[in-house]
Amino acid sequence: MSKQFTANDVKEHSTPEKVGGEALWHKFETHTRQGLYIIIDNDVYEMGGFVDEHPGGAKILKRVGGKDASKQFWKYHNESVLKKYQARLKIGELKESAKL
């Protein structure tokens, strides 16, 4: 079974902090976890390791970090792009009560 996330869980993974010239994405808790989460069609993706690889640039991913990026994703991508990266980047899905 896939890990379940709330919209707030995803939202908490969208804050950039500059450390030594590098942008780190993390969740503020008792421990630090890197991650830039986005939602596409109620699935949650961890994009932190993909930011520098994104052909459209890091700025676009940072703009939608912690949010539902479905509309923006489908505007510029087709299903083959999602299939190509899904196994590598998908970390779970929204809980039924959290679906937007």
Side-chain angles (χ1 to χ4, degrees):
M1 186 169 146
S2 180
K3 183 170 178 174
Q4 301 284 301
F5 293 88
T6 65
N8 277 337
D9 292 335
V10 175
K11 186 177 181 181
E12 290 174 349
H13 285 81
S14 65
T15 306
E17 181 178 293
K18 294 276 187 179
V19 177
E22 292 184 55
L24 297 178
W25 300 89
H26 61 85
K27 180 176 180 177
F28 294 101
E29 266 185 12
T30 54
H31 63 285
T32 299
R33 288 177 32 190
Q34 288 185 352
L36 171 63
Y37 292 7
I38 65 169
I39 301 165
I40 301 172
D41 295 342
N42 296 315
D43 289 329
V44 179
Y45 295 85
E46 202 293 302
M47 306 300 288
F50 185 70
V51 170
D52 293 331
E53 294 177 46
H54 187 252
K59 186 176 182 178
I60 292 169
L61 290 179
K62 291 174 184 178
R63 192 177 311 142
V64 296
K67 301 174 188 166
D68 187 330
S70 300
K71 183 177 177 179
Q72 294 90 333
F73 179 85
W74 292 115
K75 183 175 179 179
Y76 298 103
H77 305 86
N78 60 40
E79 192 170 353
S80 67
V81 174
L82 189 63
K83 286 181 180 182
K84 179 178 179 179
Y85 294 102
Q86 193 168 37
R88 177 176 151 202
L89 301 174
K90 182 179 172 184
I91 57 169
E93 50 197 43
L94 282 183
K95 290 181 180 179
E96 192 65 35
S97 62
K99 290 186 177 176
L100 304 173

XYZ file of all heavy atoms in Angstrom:
806
model
N 0.834 -1.188 0.000
C 0.000 0.000 0.000
C 0.879 1.251 0.000
O 1.873 1.334 0.704
C -0.919 -0.001 1.215
C -1.917 1.114 1.207
S -3.144 0.828 2.488
C -3.466 2.480 2.967
N 0.483 2.199 -0.750
C 1.191 3.464 -0.903
C 1.006 4.329 0.347
O -0.023 4.286 0.999
C 0.607 4.165 -2.129
O 1.220 5.373 -2.351
N 2.011 5.150 0.662
C 1.919 6.050 1.803
C 0.844 7.088 1.546
O 0.695 7.587 0.433
C 3.267 6.732 2.056
C 3.236 7.615 3.274
C 4.586 8.106 3.676
C 4.375 9.017 4.883
N 5.541 9.475 5.497
N 0.106 7.427 2.589
C -0.969 8.402 2.496
C -0.519 9.748 3.062
O 0.118 9.798 4.113
C -2.185 7.906 3.290
C -2.722 6.565 2.823
C -3.504 6.707 1.553
O -4.483 7.430 1.483
N -3.083 6.000 0.517
N -0.869 10.828 2.378
C -0.507 12.177 2.787
C -1.751 13.045 2.875
O -2.710 12.835 2.137
C 0.432 12.826 1.752
C 1.774 12.189 1.661
C 1.998 11.115 0.810
C 2.841 12.652 2.423
C 3.241 10.517 0.715
C 4.084 12.068 2.337
C 4.287 10.999 1.484
N -1.698 14.040 3.735
C -2.726 15.073 3.743
C -2.202 16.239 2.911
O -1.003 16.322 2.631
C -3.026 15.576 5.165
O -1.866 16.237 5.680
C -3.437 14.431 6.091
N -3.088 17.158 2.554
C -2.661 18.346 1.819
C -1.667 19.153 2.658
O -0.725 19.734 2.122
C -3.868 19.199 1.440
N -1.842 19.170 3.976
C -0.899 19.879 4.849
C 0.469 19.224 4.859
O 1.483 19.917 4.942
C -1.447 19.996 6.275
C -2.398 21.161 6.434
O -2.358 22.117 5.662
N -3.263 21.076 7.422
N 0.518 17.888 4.806
C 1.810 17.194 4.722
C 2.580 17.683 3.501
O 3.771 17.964 3.562
C 1.626 15.674 4.594
C 1.051 15.019 5.834
O 1.213 15.573 6.940
O 0.437 13.949 5.677
N 1.882 17.776 2.393
C 2.506 18.208 1.142
C 2.923 19.677 1.248
O 4.039 20.038 0.882
C 1.556 17.989 -0.054
C 2.141 18.550 -1.337
C 1.246 16.498 -0.213
N 2.046 20.483 1.790
C 2.321 21.922 1.919
C 3.571 22.188 2.755
O 4.323 23.119 2.485
C 1.115 22.618 2.547
C 1.206 24.116 2.596
C -0.067 24.697 3.172
C 0.004 26.209 3.203
N -1.226 26.781 3.775
N 3.819 21.372 3.758
C 4.975 21.551 4.630
C 6.304 21.254 3.934
O 7.358 21.555 4.464
C 4.840 20.678 5.873
C 3.748 21.149 6.813
C 3.513 20.202 7.956
O 4.048 19.065 7.934
O 2.782 20.583 8.876
N 6.253 20.678 2.759
C 7.463 20.353 1.995
C 7.630 21.323 0.822
O 7.827 20.925 -0.314
C 7.404 18.915 1.496
C 7.658 17.915 2.554
N 6.692 17.512 3.435
C 8.776 17.251 2.893
C 7.206 16.629 4.265
N 8.472 16.462 3.957
N 7.587 22.608 1.141
C 7.690 23.597 0.071
C 8.496 24.833 0.458
O 8.488 25.810 -0.272
C 6.283 24.046 -0.339
O 5.660 24.732 0.735
N 9.189 24.786 1.573
C 9.894 25.974 2.054
C 11.376 25.899 1.748
O 12.065 25.032 2.266
C 9.703 26.114 3.582
O 8.310 26.089 3.864
C 10.286 27.400 4.085
N 11.859 26.806 0.905
C 13.296 26.803 0.601
C 14.084 27.506 1.700
O 13.615 28.455 2.300
C 13.389 27.584 -0.695
C 12.240 28.527 -0.622
C 11.153 27.807 0.141
N 15.259 27.013 1.962
C 16.166 27.679 2.894
C 17.554 27.628 2.296
O 18.013 26.584 1.877
C 16.167 26.981 4.245
C 17.081 27.640 5.259
C 17.017 26.954 6.602
O 15.979 27.018 7.258
O 18.017 26.328 6.963
N 18.206 28.767 2.233
C 19.558 28.824 1.683
C 20.558 28.419 2.759
O 20.579 28.981 3.842
C 19.895 30.243 1.214
C 19.059 30.705 0.049
C 19.635 30.216 -1.237
C 18.884 30.827 -2.404
N 19.400 30.414 -3.657
N 21.376 27.424 2.442
C 22.434 26.969 3.344
C 23.684 26.781 2.507
O 23.711 25.947 1.613
C 22.056 25.642 4.034
C 23.200 25.167 4.899
C 20.794 25.800 4.863
N 24.713 27.554 2.770
C 25.962 27.423 2.014
C 25.784 27.579 0.524
O 26.449 26.919 -0.258
N 24.844 28.436 0.115
C 24.643 28.678 -1.302
C 23.748 27.662 -1.986
O 23.429 27.793 -3.143
N 23.329 26.617 -1.279
C 22.461 25.612 -1.879
C 21.056 25.752 -1.325
O 20.869 25.988 -0.133
C 22.966 24.199 -1.565
C 24.269 23.849 -2.238
C 24.652 22.418 -1.950
O 23.845 21.526 -2.215
O 25.750 22.207 -1.444
N 20.068 25.591 -2.169
C 18.685 25.623 -1.695
C 18.324 24.235 -1.196
O 18.453 23.251 -1.900
C 17.747 26.030 -2.830
N 17.907 24.170 0.041
C 17.468 22.903 0.618
C 15.972 22.993 0.851
O 15.458 24.004 1.301
C 18.174 22.629 1.948
C 19.683 22.466 1.886
C 20.236 22.241 3.294
C 20.062 21.301 0.999
N 15.287 21.931 0.563
C 13.849 21.872 0.783
C 13.639 20.964 1.980
O 14.161 19.875 2.039
C 13.172 21.298 -0.455
C 13.440 22.153 -1.632
C 14.491 22.057 -2.484
C 12.698 23.275 -2.046
N 14.444 23.043 -3.422
C 13.334 23.806 -3.168
C 11.538 23.889 -1.580
C 12.864 24.909 -3.846
C 11.065 24.984 -2.258
C 11.729 25.484 -3.376
N 12.859 21.423 2.946
C 12.690 20.594 4.124
C 11.396 20.872 4.844
O 10.712 21.844 4.605
C 13.870 20.761 5.071
C 14.048 22.153 5.571
N 13.377 22.641 6.649
C 14.813 23.151 5.113
C 13.732 23.893 6.848
N 14.598 24.228 5.922
N 11.090 19.971 5.752
C 9.924 20.058 6.605
C 10.411 20.485 7.976
O 11.362 19.923 8.497
C 9.254 18.687 6.667
C 8.025 18.639 7.524
C 7.427 17.256 7.417
C 6.187 17.163 8.277
N 5.553 15.870 8.142
N 9.792 21.494 8.559
C 10.195 21.949 9.880
C 9.497 21.083 10.930
O 8.307 21.203 11.153
C 9.817 23.425 10.073
C 10.573 24.329 9.168
C 9.988 24.831 8.028
C 11.878 24.670 9.451
C 10.682 25.667 7.183
C 12.576 25.512 8.612
C 11.984 26.003 7.473
N 10.260 20.197 11.555
C 9.788 19.327 12.624
C 10.928 19.153 13.586
O 11.883 19.908 13.582
C 9.390 17.950 12.048
C 7.943 17.831 11.727
C 7.579 16.430 11.283
O 8.385 15.498 11.424
O 6.474 16.265 10.792
N 10.862 18.111 14.419
C 11.976 17.844 15.319
C 13.169 17.340 14.534
O 14.286 17.383 15.017
C 11.576 16.805 16.378
O 11.078 15.644 15.718
C 10.506 17.371 17.291
N 12.959 16.860 13.335
C 14.052 16.452 12.456
C 13.846 17.132 11.104
O 12.763 17.567 10.780
C 14.088 14.934 12.297
C 12.865 14.374 11.651
N 11.663 14.252 12.309
C 12.641 13.927 10.399
C 10.757 13.740 11.493
N 11.322 13.542 10.329
N 14.890 17.229 10.341
C 14.805 17.885 9.043
C 14.752 16.825 7.952
O 15.540 15.903 7.942
C 16.038 18.792 8.825
O 16.031 19.781 9.846
C 15.984 19.474 7.486
N 13.809 16.989 7.052
C 13.687 16.094 5.904
C 13.717 16.940 4.655
O 12.947 17.873 4.526
C 12.369 15.334 5.966
C 12.359 14.290 7.029
C 11.041 13.597 7.148
N 10.337 13.476 5.890
C 9.085 13.079 5.797
N 8.407 12.786 6.867
N 8.497 12.986 4.625
N 14.600 16.587 3.759
C 14.622 17.300 2.488
C 13.438 16.843 1.663
O 13.002 15.703 1.762
C 15.902 17.008 1.727
C 17.107 17.663 2.336
C 18.331 17.435 1.473
O 18.312 16.686 0.530
N 19.396 18.111 1.827
N 12.953 17.714 0.835
C 11.890 17.304 -0.053
C 11.092 18.461 -0.587
O 10.851 19.428 0.119
N 10.726 18.369 -1.822
C 9.835 19.314 -2.467
C 8.703 18.462 -3.015
O 8.886 17.724 -3.976
C 10.559 20.046 -3.597
C 9.687 20.918 -4.494
C 9.062 22.043 -3.686
C 10.499 21.483 -5.628
N 7.570 18.521 -2.359
C 6.456 17.671 -2.742
C 5.484 18.442 -3.620
O 5.231 19.627 -3.397
C 5.693 17.194 -1.513
C 6.419 16.231 -0.611
C 7.764 15.907 -0.792
C 5.769 15.633 0.455
C 8.410 15.025 0.046
C 6.416 14.746 1.300
C 7.725 14.450 1.091
O 8.365 13.574 1.930
N 4.931 17.752 -4.602
C 3.845 18.293 -5.406
C 2.788 17.208 -5.556
O 3.055 16.023 -5.352
C 4.300 18.790 -6.800
C 4.809 17.636 -7.674
C 5.326 19.897 -6.679
C 5.010 18.023 -9.130
N 1.599 17.636 -5.913
C 0.481 16.720 -6.152
C 0.130 16.785 -7.631
O 0.002 17.870 -8.203
C -0.748 17.135 -5.317
C -0.418 17.140 -3.826
C -1.940 16.230 -5.630
C -1.445 17.873 -2.971
N 0.000 15.611 -8.235
C -0.506 15.507 -9.605
C -1.577 14.431 -9.590
O -1.295 13.266 -9.280
C 0.595 15.145 -10.628
C 1.702 16.200 -10.626
C -0.010 14.990 -12.029
C 2.905 15.830 -11.466
N -2.801 14.818 -9.877
C -3.937 13.891 -9.912
C -4.029 13.050 -8.641
O -4.173 11.822 -8.695
C -3.874 12.997 -11.145
C -4.034 13.770 -12.431
O -4.518 14.927 -12.390
O -3.667 13.238 -13.490
N -3.929 13.694 -7.495
C -4.050 13.077 -6.173
C -2.917 12.124 -5.812
O -2.992 11.432 -4.805
C -5.413 12.386 -6.008
C -6.542 13.383 -6.057
O -6.473 14.445 -5.438
N -7.583 13.076 -6.805
N -1.863 12.084 -6.603
C -0.652 11.350 -6.253
C 0.393 12.364 -5.786
O 0.449 13.488 -6.291
C -0.104 10.565 -7.450
C -0.988 9.383 -7.812
O -1.622 8.805 -6.907
O -1.038 9.036 -8.997
N 1.230 11.964 -4.829
C 2.239 12.854 -4.265
C 3.605 12.459 -4.809
O 3.979 11.283 -4.784
C 2.229 12.789 -2.718
C 3.304 13.701 -2.128
C 0.855 13.165 -2.168
N 4.336 13.459 -5.279
C 5.652 13.255 -5.868
C 6.691 14.060 -5.111
O 6.451 15.214 -4.759
C 5.660 13.692 -7.339
C 4.761 12.842 -8.203
C 3.408 13.111 -8.308
C 5.276 11.743 -8.880
C 2.574 12.314 -9.079
C 4.457 10.943 -9.655
C 3.107 11.232 -9.754
O 2.289 10.432 -10.506
N 7.864 13.464 -4.872
C 8.982 14.135 -4.218
C 9.909 14.610 -5.318
O 10.540 13.831 -6.007
C 9.701 13.179 -3.264
C 10.518 13.874 -2.178
C 11.727 14.629 -2.705
O 12.578 14.001 -3.352
O 11.808 15.850 -2.486
N 9.991 15.932 -5.490
C 10.703 16.516 -6.618
C 12.054 17.120 -6.242
O 12.754 17.645 -7.105
C 9.830 17.608 -7.264
C 8.439 17.138 -7.657
S 8.457 15.786 -8.842
C 8.969 16.659 -10.299
N 12.443 17.059 -4.975
C 13.677 17.689 -4.520
C 14.906 17.254 -5.296
O 15.748 18.074 -5.652
N 15.019 15.974 -5.600
C 16.162 15.466 -6.339
C 16.063 15.667 -7.835
O 16.992 15.373 -8.583
N 14.927 16.164 -8.280
C 14.673 16.341 -9.713
C 14.724 17.810 -10.137
O 14.767 18.115 -11.328
C 13.295 15.752 -10.051
C 12.956 15.754 -11.514
C 13.609 14.916 -12.403
C 11.971 16.598 -12.002
C 13.286 14.919 -13.758
C 11.637 16.613 -13.352
C 12.293 15.766 -14.234
N 14.762 18.712 -9.167
C 14.702 20.146 -9.459
C 15.733 20.572 -10.495
O 15.416 21.279 -11.453
C 14.860 20.970 -8.154
C 15.039 22.437 -8.453
C 13.662 20.762 -7.261
N 16.974 20.156 -10.324
C 18.025 20.570 -11.249
C 17.956 19.872 -12.607
O 18.539 20.342 -13.575
C 19.403 20.349 -10.618
C 19.643 21.273 -9.436
O 19.077 22.382 -9.414
O 20.374 20.868 -8.513
N 17.245 18.752 -12.682
C 17.098 18.018 -13.937
C 15.910 18.496 -14.768
O 15.846 18.213 -15.964
C 16.868 16.530 -13.648
C 18.020 15.808 -13.026
C 17.638 14.366 -12.723
O 17.040 13.701 -13.586
O 17.926 13.923 -11.600
N 14.971 19.167 -14.131
C 13.727 19.547 -14.810
C 14.023 20.408 -16.036
O 14.628 21.474 -15.917
C 12.814 20.299 -13.837
C 11.467 20.585 -14.403
N 11.087 21.852 -14.775
C 10.424 19.758 -14.673
C 9.854 21.792 -15.238
N 9.433 20.544 -15.198
N 13.617 19.949 -17.213
C 13.915 20.692 -18.438
C 13.359 22.114 -18.458
O 13.923 22.993 -19.095
C 13.260 19.843 -19.541
C 13.171 18.476 -18.965
C 12.948 18.673 -17.490
N 12.278 22.334 -17.734
C 11.689 23.664 -17.690
C 12.322 24.576 -16.658
O 11.949 25.738 -16.531
N 13.273 24.036 -15.915
C 13.969 24.822 -14.910
C 13.443 24.617 -13.504
O 12.306 24.205 -13.299
N 14.281 24.895 -12.551
C 13.958 24.714 -11.136
C 12.878 25.682 -10.673
O 12.056 25.344 -9.820
C 15.218 24.893 -10.295
N 12.871 26.867 -11.229
C 11.944 27.913 -10.788
C 10.487 27.457 -10.875
O 9.680 27.747 -9.991
C 12.163 29.167 -11.633
C 11.384 30.363 -11.197
C 11.758 31.572 -12.050
C 11.030 32.812 -11.596
N 11.428 33.978 -12.390
N 10.160 26.739 -11.913
C 8.783 26.270 -12.113
C 8.389 25.285 -11.023
O 7.305 25.382 -10.447
C 8.622 25.649 -13.515
C 8.743 26.747 -14.559
C 7.314 24.894 -13.646
C 8.874 26.281 -15.966
N 9.265 24.337 -10.720
C 8.955 23.362 -9.673
C 8.856 24.033 -8.311
O 7.984 23.695 -7.506
C 9.998 22.251 -9.636
C 9.972 21.293 -10.816
C 11.069 20.247 -10.668
C 8.615 20.612 -10.931
N 9.719 24.981 -8.047
C 9.681 25.690 -6.770
C 8.376 26.475 -6.619
O 7.845 26.591 -5.521
C 10.884 26.616 -6.637
C 12.185 25.845 -6.488
C 13.372 26.781 -6.495
C 14.685 26.002 -6.448
N 15.850 26.883 -6.509
N 7.869 26.977 -7.715
C 6.628 27.750 -7.693
C 5.422 26.895 -7.304
O 4.486 27.380 -6.670
C 6.394 28.393 -9.053
C 5.297 29.437 -9.051
C 5.130 30.124 -10.389
N 6.394 30.583 -10.932
C 6.725 30.535 -12.214
N 5.891 30.030 -13.105
N 7.884 30.974 -12.636
N 5.433 25.619 -7.684
C 4.292 24.748 -7.391
C 4.561 23.815 -6.209
O 3.718 22.998 -5.867
C 3.867 23.919 -8.628
C 3.372 24.826 -9.734
C 4.976 23.007 -9.101
N 5.721 23.967 -5.585
C 6.061 23.121 -4.439
C 5.045 23.231 -3.325
O 4.606 24.313 -2.968
N 4.640 22.079 -2.791
C 3.682 22.037 -1.701
C 2.240 22.202 -2.139
O 1.345 22.312 -1.307
N 1.995 22.183 -3.448
C 0.651 22.442 -3.972
C 0.219 21.367 -4.965
O 1.011 20.548 -5.398
C 0.631 23.788 -4.704
C 1.019 24.962 -3.854
C 1.098 26.212 -4.699
C 1.676 27.357 -3.903
N 2.068 28.461 -4.751
N -1.049 21.451 -5.337
C -1.552 20.608 -6.415
C -1.095 21.236 -7.725
O -1.497 22.350 -8.069
C -3.075 20.521 -6.365
C -3.643 19.520 -7.362
O -3.033 19.311 -8.432
O -4.696 18.934 -7.079
N -0.243 20.539 -8.440
C 0.324 21.047 -9.688
C -0.298 20.375 -10.907
O 0.240 20.473 -12.008
C 1.832 20.828 -9.684
N -1.425 19.711 -10.728
C -2.050 18.961 -11.824
C -2.313 19.836 -13.041
O -1.957 19.470 -14.170
C -3.362 18.325 -11.365
O -3.152 17.454 -10.302
N -2.936 20.974 -12.840
C -3.286 21.849 -13.960
C -2.039 22.293 -14.724
O -1.991 22.206 -15.957
C -4.045 23.068 -13.436
C -4.527 23.998 -14.513
C -5.330 25.148 -13.906
C -5.770 26.125 -14.961
N -6.554 27.227 -14.380
N -1.011 22.717 -13.990
C 0.222 23.166 -14.637
C 0.936 22.001 -15.331
O 1.479 22.162 -16.419
C 1.170 23.798 -13.607
C 0.653 25.071 -13.000
C -0.162 24.833 -11.731
O -0.766 23.785 -11.523
N -0.181 25.831 -10.867
N 0.941 20.840 -14.680
C 1.604 19.671 -15.270
C 0.974 19.313 -16.611
O 1.666 19.168 -17.616
C 1.551 18.474 -14.316
C 2.197 17.250 -14.892
C 3.565 17.062 -14.771
C 1.463 16.300 -15.586
C 4.188 15.946 -15.332
C 2.070 15.187 -16.149
C 3.437 15.007 -16.010
N -0.343 19.149 -16.630
C -1.013 18.700 -17.855
C -1.004 19.756 -18.950
O -1.149 19.431 -20.129
C -2.431 18.225 -17.551
C -2.421 16.968 -16.741
C -2.878 16.805 -15.473
C -1.879 15.697 -17.124
N -2.662 15.516 -15.044
C -2.057 14.816 -16.031
C -1.256 15.216 -18.270
C -1.642 13.490 -16.070
C -0.844 13.892 -18.312
C -1.034 13.042 -17.225
N -0.795 21.004 -18.591
C -0.709 22.055 -19.599
C 0.536 21.877 -20.475
O 0.531 22.180 -21.654
C -0.682 23.425 -18.918
C -0.677 24.588 -19.875
C -0.764 25.918 -19.129
C -0.744 27.077 -20.094
N -0.849 28.371 -19.396
N 1.629 21.361 -19.874
C 2.911 21.265 -20.586
C 3.412 19.847 -20.833
O 4.422 19.671 -21.507
C 3.980 22.041 -19.811
C 3.669 23.500 -19.708
C 3.167 24.039 -18.529
C 3.834 24.344 -20.800
C 2.862 25.391 -18.437
C 3.525 25.697 -20.719
C 3.040 26.204 -19.536
O 2.734 27.534 -19.445
N 2.751 18.837 -20.277
C 3.227 17.459 -20.387
C 2.106 16.537 -20.840
O 0.936 16.847 -20.687
C 3.732 16.949 -19.033
C 4.782 17.811 -18.402
N 4.479 18.888 -17.615
C 6.125 17.747 -18.439
C 5.588 19.457 -17.189
N 6.608 18.798 -17.682
N 2.489 15.378 -21.352
C 1.503 14.354 -21.675
C 1.723 13.145 -20.771
O 2.633 13.122 -19.941
C 1.548 13.976 -23.161
C 2.898 13.430 -23.574
O 3.535 12.677 -22.844
N 3.348 13.808 -24.766
N 0.902 12.131 -20.934
C 0.934 10.973 -20.052
C 2.266 10.224 -20.099
O 2.697 9.631 -19.114
C -0.211 10.023 -20.403
C -0.426 8.961 -19.357
C -1.695 8.168 -19.584
O -2.489 8.520 -20.469
O -1.872 7.173 -18.866
N 2.954 10.264 -21.220
C 4.231 9.548 -21.323
C 5.275 10.128 -20.357
O 6.113 9.396 -19.830
C 4.766 9.567 -22.760
O 5.132 10.871 -23.145
N 5.227 11.426 -20.106
C 6.161 12.054 -19.163
C 5.869 11.556 -17.756
O 6.781 11.200 -17.007
C 6.067 13.600 -19.234
C 6.921 14.247 -18.165
C 6.463 14.088 -20.611
N 4.599 11.507 -17.399
C 4.219 11.014 -16.071
C 4.655 9.560 -15.896
O 5.251 9.202 -14.878
C 2.714 11.153 -15.873
C 2.205 10.891 -14.464
C 2.770 11.904 -13.487
C 0.686 10.936 -14.445
N 4.409 8.738 -16.890
C 4.799 7.324 -16.818
C 6.311 7.158 -16.704
O 6.799 6.291 -15.995
C 4.268 6.560 -18.023
C 2.787 6.316 -17.971
C 2.325 5.537 -19.183
C 0.831 5.293 -19.107
N 0.343 4.511 -20.243
N 7.054 7.997 -17.394
C 8.516 7.916 -17.389
C 9.099 8.136 -16.000
O 10.051 7.459 -15.606
C 9.094 8.939 -18.369
C 10.604 8.957 -18.431
C 11.093 9.965 -19.464
C 12.612 10.006 -19.518
N 13.088 10.963 -20.532
N 8.546 9.075 -15.253
C 9.122 9.453 -13.963
C 8.336 8.959 -12.746
O 8.818 9.073 -11.625
C 9.253 10.978 -13.881
C 10.253 11.516 -14.860
C 9.848 12.123 -16.040
C 11.619 11.409 -14.620
C 10.764 12.616 -16.954
C 12.553 11.890 -15.523
C 12.115 12.492 -16.680
O 13.031 12.970 -17.580
N 7.177 8.414 -12.947
C 6.305 8.033 -11.841
C 6.958 7.064 -10.864
O 6.916 7.279 -9.651
C 5.000 7.444 -12.379
C 3.930 7.312 -11.328
C 2.578 7.002 -11.960
O 2.508 6.265 -12.940
N 1.538 7.568 -11.416
N 7.572 6.014 -11.351
C 8.183 5.018 -10.463
C 9.294 5.628 -9.606
O 9.470 5.272 -8.444
C 8.720 3.843 -11.270
N 10.015 6.569 -10.171
C 11.145 7.197 -9.475
C 10.711 8.274 -8.489
O 11.315 8.431 -7.428
C 12.077 7.795 -10.524
C 13.253 8.541 -9.963
C 14.164 9.016 -11.085
N 14.847 10.225 -10.692
C 15.358 11.106 -11.518
N 15.266 10.914 -12.811
N 15.960 12.171 -11.083
N 9.661 9.032 -8.817
C 9.328 10.218 -8.038
C 8.076 10.104 -7.168
O 7.930 10.856 -6.207
C 9.175 11.424 -8.971
C 10.412 11.777 -9.809
C 10.092 12.890 -10.784
C 11.587 12.144 -8.923
N 7.186 9.189 -7.488
C 5.950 9.076 -6.707
C 6.256 8.458 -5.344
O 6.898 7.421 -5.246
C 4.920 8.222 -7.443
C 3.609 8.119 -6.689
C 2.599 7.282 -7.444
C 1.381 7.031 -6.585
N 0.427 6.135 -7.252
N 5.768 9.133 -4.287
C 6.007 8.632 -2.925
C 4.725 8.265 -2.201
O 4.768 7.736 -1.097
C 6.805 9.654 -2.086
C 6.093 10.995 -2.029
C 8.219 9.794 -2.633
C 6.683 11.957 -1.014
N 3.581 8.539 -2.788
C 2.321 8.204 -2.150
C 1.149 8.890 -2.825
O 1.239 9.315 -3.974
N 0.065 8.973 -2.054
C -1.137 9.607 -2.587
C -1.855 10.361 -1.482
O -1.572 10.148 -0.296
C -2.055 8.578 -3.234
C -2.327 7.385 -2.378
C -2.895 6.220 -3.175
O -2.404 5.932 -4.280
O -3.851 5.610 -2.660
N -2.765 11.244 -1.885
C -3.540 11.997 -0.902
C -4.525 11.070 -0.223
O -5.128 10.201 -0.868
C -4.307 13.135 -1.568
C -3.535 14.390 -1.944
C -4.498 15.414 -2.518
C -2.786 14.969 -0.787
N -4.708 11.292 1.059
C -5.756 10.562 1.781
C -7.082 10.944 1.182
O -7.269 12.065 0.707
C -5.737 10.940 3.265
C -4.532 10.430 4.017
C -4.623 10.825 5.462
C -3.404 10.318 6.209
N -3.425 10.707 7.623
N -8.024 10.035 1.204
C -9.329 10.274 0.606
C -9.958 11.563 1.121
O -10.462 12.358 0.348
C -10.264 9.089 0.893
C -11.534 9.108 0.090
C -11.325 8.955 -1.404
O -10.413 8.227 -1.829
O -12.086 9.577 -2.164
N -9.861 11.826 2.411
C -10.461 13.033 2.978
C -9.705 14.301 2.596
O -10.222 15.394 2.726
C -10.520 12.927 4.502
O -9.215 12.823 5.033
N -8.488 14.151 2.097
C -7.653 15.315 1.755
C -7.692 15.655 0.287
O -7.118 16.647 -0.126
C -6.202 15.044 2.177
N -8.336 14.844 -0.520
C -8.332 15.085 -1.965
C -8.968 16.420 -2.282
O -9.985 16.791 -1.727
C -9.025 13.947 -2.703
C -8.201 12.676 -2.644
C -8.772 11.586 -3.485
C -7.833 10.388 -3.410
N -8.357 9.249 -4.115
N -8.312 17.135 -3.192
C -8.741 18.502 -3.518
C -9.823 18.504 -4.579
O -9.892 17.706 -5.428
C -7.534 19.308 -3.996
C -6.368 19.336 -3.000
C -5.162 19.998 -3.633
C -6.765 20.080 -1.750
